[in-house]
Amino acid sequence: AQKITQTQPGMFVQEKEAVTLDCTYDTSDPSYGLFWYKQPSSGEMIFLIYQGSYDQQNATEGRYSLNFQKARKSANLVISASQLGDSAMYFCAMREGRNTGGFKTIFGAGTRLFVKA
Amino acid sequence: GAVVSQHPSRVICKSGTSVKIECRSLDFQATTMFWYRQFPKQSLMLMATSNEGSKATYEQGVEKDKFLINHASLTLSTLTVTSAHPEDSSFYICSAPRGGRAMTDTQYFGPGTRLTVL
């Protein structure tokens, strides 16, 4: 069963505006971590932000913030003041705590973000 | 910061040959590494977990005899695609969590290897 769902295959945003990329997840493990990665056309995976299931506050990292709604099992990424360099593929990912394989991480299908000048 | 390297970055081979891809953690030791494959415009699919000193753990549907994984040392894991066929053409990415066991351990990704099988 798919555990990470990203329903937006593509998103457009005007430069300097904010954009929200959706992510919902499914797990029965009370301990888990949620991640967002950026993948530009070069293919490298760039870590953006992390949210732990027990964290009381939403994570923020510069222009990135994570809107964590635990009851709804959603972990949306908000990018403020979009820049042209933000155009890339964005992946939501989850790591479950009970996994004994060194905390393997699974990824959603991704959302391609296009920033318009 | 921590860096994970992969070699080669790009390889083109003939059908039926075997290809070895190396994944190295450059400034930290990794008892566990992960191998993913990514088809064009698709997500990363976990193939297997590479464990130093023991056998790799493969995800359901991944042929272990097709994709041989060897975690030779605390800084090196190799993925060998045996008897490669055109359908094996993909982008292969490795990752290594620094620390290895904590939920918050940052997972560093290699730059990926693009395999094209003719």
Side-chain angles (χ1 to χ4, degrees), chain A residues 25-37:
Chain A
Y25 60 92
D26 183 33
T27 180
S28 57
D29 193 334
S31 177
Y32 54 90
L34 298 159
F35 303 79
W36 277 93
Y37 288 88

Side-chain angles (χ1 to χ4, degrees), chain A residues 32-33 35 37 39 43 45 50 91 95-97 100-105 107-108, chain B residues 32 34 36 38 42-44 46 49 59 91 93 100-105 107 109:
Chain A
Y32 54 90
F35 303 79
Y37 288 88
Q39 187 181 41
M45 295 293 286
Y50 165 81
F91 292 100
R95 186 185 295 172
E96 292 175 313
T100 58
F103 297 106
K104 62 183 179 181
T105 304
F107 289 80
Chain B
T32 302
F34 301 98
Y36 295 85
Q38 184 180 30
Q42 294 188 24
S43 186
L44 280 72
L46 180 65
T49 302
E59 295 300 302
F91 191 56
I93 306 175
R101 290 287 169 179
M103 184 70 71
T104 56
D105 285 340
Q107 189 162 331
F109 285 82

Side-chain angles (χ1 to χ4, degrees), chain B:
Chain B
V3 177
V4 173
S5 70
Q6 277 184 246
H7 177 80
S9 59
R10 185 181 295 267
V11 57
I12 300 173
C13 69
K14 292 182 178 180
S15 184
T17 60
S18 294
V19 175
K20 180 184 285 188
I21 303 170
E22 293 185 348
C23 176
R24 293 182 185 272
S25 55
L26 296 185
D27 60 355
F28 67 99
Q29 294 182 332
T31 56
T32 302
M33 292 184 177
F34 301 98
W35 286 96
Y36 295 85
R37 68 186 296 182
Q38 184 180 30
F39 291 109
K41 301 188 181 187
Q42 294 188 24
S43 186
L44 280 72
M45 298 300 296
L46 180 65
M47 299 175 65
T49 302
S50 175
N51 304 300
E52 192 273 334
S54 63
K55 292 182 179 180
T57 306
Y58 290 82
E59 295 300 302
Q60 193 172 9
V62 177
E63 301 175 59
K64 60 181 67 177
D65 295 330
K66 173 77 170 175
F67 300 99
L68 300 179
I69 291 173
N70 182 28
H71 202 128
S73 73
L74 288 171
T75 59
L76 173 64
S77 174
T78 59
L79 168 68
T80 301
V81 183
T82 63
S83 186
H85 288 91
E87 57 266 29
D88 298 324
S89 299
S90 188
F91 191 56
Y92 292 87
I93 306 175
C94 72
S95 73
R98 186 171 195 161
R101 290 287 169 179
M103 184 70 71
T104 56
D105 285 340
T106 300
Q107 189 162 331
Y108 295 95
F109 285 82
T113 296
R114 189 162 302 282
L115 170 64
T116 302
V117 185
L118 302 176

Side-chain angles (χ1 to χ4, degrees), chain A residues 70-89:
Chain A
K70 195 170 182 177
R72 295 184 179 183
K73 292 188 175 179
S74 73
N76 299 339
L77 176 70
V78 180
I79 305 175
S80 62
S82 296
Q83 302 172 356
L84 295 178
D86 293 336
S87 294
M89 196 75 171

Side-chain angles (χ1 to χ4, degrees), chain A residues 33-106:
Chain A
L34 298 159
F35 303 79
W36 277 93
Y37 288 88
K38 172 184 179 181
Q39 187 181 41
S41 57
S42 61
E44 61 181 313
M45 295 293 286
I46 301 169
F47 166 75
L48 297 178
I49 197 166
Y50 165 81
Q51 180 83 45
S53 59
Y54 295 119
D55 293 344
Q56 295 297 313
Q57 293 187 323
N58 287 347
T60 60
E61 288 286 348
R63 295 187 298 112
Y64 304 107
S65 61
L66 201 151
N67 184 2
F68 181 45
Q69 298 189 42
K70 195 170 182 177
R72 295 184 179 183
K73 292 188 175 179
S74 73
N76 299 339
L77 176 70
V78 180
I79 305 175
S80 62
S82 296
Q83 302 172 356
L84 295 178
D86 293 336
S87 294
M89 196 75 171
Y90 289 80
F91 292 100
C92 180
M94 180 174 69
R95 186 185 295 172
E96 292 175 313
R98 63 185 171 189
N99 187 290
T100 58
F103 297 106
K104 62 183 179 181
T105 304
I106 58 172

